[in-house]
Amino acid sequence: NKKAFVELLFWKSPAAVREMTEGYGSLCQGEGAGRSRVPPWTPQEEQELRELYWKYKEVEGEDVVAAIVAHLPAPGRTRRQVVKQLVRL
């Protein structure tokens, strides 16, 4: 790429640098594309999340989010996903 020196003048994210070195379009085809996808919350999961929140919010001395994550029926959710969804709700 004869114009790569122009691209080097600006700040890049690690993903942009990888795309520059491995070729443009490599992020769409590589293993990183599917890894960052978070499955959407279904209405049933949202309802379960609400119920678990109301159940565990009053318990003192216990981490509410940890209790919710432990009792979620869908095992693939992370703590960060649960917190983000609770804030959204």
Side-chain angles (χ1 to χ4, degrees):
N1 188 355
K2 294 180 180 180
K3 297 180 182 174
F5 67 92
V6 176
E7 291 186 2
L8 296 175
L9 297 175
F10 302 99
W11 288 99
K12 301 285 186 254
S13 67
V17 172
R18 178 176 174 209
E19 194 168 7
M20 282 174 51
T21 57
E22 295 182 10
Y24 294 101
S26 63
L27 280 180
C28 297
Q29 301 164 0
E31 71 272 354
R35 183 177 60 198
S36 64
R37 294 281 173 175
V38 176
W41 287 81
T42 63
Q44 293 83 11
E45 288 177 326
E46 288 181 355
Q47 183 62 31
E48 184 71 26
L49 186 63
R50 282 188 193 102
E51 291 172 7
L52 288 171
Y53 174 73
W54 287 108
K55 181 178 178 181
Y56 292 110
K57 80 173 197 161
E58 296 297 327
V59 177
E60 290 188 27
E62 186 176 334
D63 185 16
V64 176
V65 178
I68 291 173
V69 171
H71 291 92
L72 273 177
R77 298 293 180 182
T78 64
R79 180 181 174 91
R80 182 180 207 139
Q81 292 170 348
V82 170
V83 169
K84 189 174 181 179
Q85 187 66 15
L86 281 172
V87 169
R88 192 184 73 74
L89 291 175

